[in-house]
Amino acid sequence: MSRPLRQPREELRKSIVETSKSILDREGAEGLSARAIAREIGYTAASIYNVFESMSDILMEVNRETLAELQALFENLPREASPRLRLQALCLGYVAFMESNPARWNALFGGMRQRESFPDWYVGTIDQLKGRLGALLVEHAGECGHRITEAEALGMAENLFITIHGLLALDVGRRLDLFTRRSPEEMAGFAIDLTLAGLGAGSGAEAGIGR
């Protein structure tokens, strides 16, 4: 029989999510379980499932907060800097976040897919991140005297993210050194430089967008 809740449901919900993040950071996904969470917050595992239906739902909330932290990377960019410098700062911030929080980053983007569909807020937040990245690319192209459409910028943003995601996935798995001696920061910066070089060459098909 589960122990009566000793704090309001919403506070307990926040405690569960924060404790899950802490366990992930310390022990990785292998150490995360309802019993581990309950042990740290002083409740029973049954109490955890009175708030969340499953561990998958808890991870969804952890991912929500991780996505919010990625959104904050944009908010913290120096507004007076050029689009190029903001993109480079964004790249370094993203790599630093991954290196500081590999388990949470992996919970967001790694492992086998466990769901057939994701909540609207989840997909919508990722779309917002891509859109903000695309907006920086549009701004940079404009400074170079070229014009690209929002659709073209979004395609480039997707390509850039997938490229950087791939090298970070190799780094998290300690396999990046099989392909290069360069650091994740160097490789990610190189990917941005290639993208911006294409923007400087022209717009649309002239810059090779969509090829």
Side-chain angles (χ1 to χ4, degrees):
M1 184 173 180
S2 64
R3 182 182 308 172
L5 298 182
R6 295 192 298 272
Q7 57 181 311
R9 184 183 181 87
E10 190 55 35
E11 290 184 17
L12 177 56
R13 183 183 183 89
K14 291 179 181 178
S15 294
I16 292 169
V17 174
E18 288 303 312
T19 300
S20 297
K21 289 162 58 178
S22 178
I23 293 172
L24 276 172
D25 290 339
R26 292 196 321 265
E27 304 177 32
E30 299 81 4
L32 186 62
S33 68
R35 287 186 177 182
I37 298 167
R39 184 167 54 249
E40 294 208 10
I41 64 175
Y43 281 76
T44 65
S47 297
I48 305 300
Y49 290 120
N50 284 337
V51 179
F52 290 96
E53 290 187 3
S54 66
M55 287 300 301
S56 178
D57 288 339
I58 295 174
L59 279 174
M60 271 287 120
E61 288 305 308
V62 171
N63 287 343
R64 187 197 294 269
E65 297 202 0
T66 302
L67 286 169
E69 291 182 57
L70 295 181
Q71 288 272 30
L73 293 177
F74 286 90
E75 305 298 337
N76 295 330
L77 293 176
R79 298 182 182 277
E80 70 282 357
S82 67
R84 174 185 288 274
L85 290 179
R86 277 178 279 158
L87 282 163
Q88 291 171 342
L90 183 66
C91 169
L92 290 176
Y94 184 59
V95 173
F97 178 86
M98 180 279 297
E99 291 181 335
S100 299
N101 307 279
R104 282 203 283 142
W105 182 87
N106 199 53
L108 186 62
F109 293 124
M112 293 295 293
R113 181 170 177 158
Q114 302 296 321
R115 292 170 173 256
E116 288 299 320
S117 61
F118 290 87
D120 290 342
W121 65 261
Y122 194 99
V123 177
T125 303
I126 292 176
D127 286 344
Q128 288 174 15
L129 290 169
K130 294 189 299 182
R132 297 180 79 169
L133 180 56
L136 285 173
L137 296 174
V138 169
E139 188 178 348
H140 175 78
E143 288 197 352
C144 293
H146 303 299
R147 179 182 178 277
I148 60 173
T149 66
E150 288 186 7
E152 290 169 335
L154 181 60
M156 296 184 77
E158 290 172 345
N159 288 342
L160 182 58
F161 174 78
I162 290 169
T163 299
I164 293 177
H165 170 81
L167 70 91
L168 292 182
L170 285 170
D171 191 50
V172 167
R174 301 178 64 188
R175 291 181 175 86
L176 185 61
D177 61 322
L178 295 176
F179 296 90
T180 180
R181 294 184 179 180
R182 287 180 288 178
S183 70
E185 292 85 354
E186 290 178 290
M187 293 297 295
F190 183 63
I192 286 179
D193 287 343
L194 283 178
T195 299
L196 297 185
L199 282 172
S203 62
E206 293 179 5
I209 298 171
R211 292 183 184 175

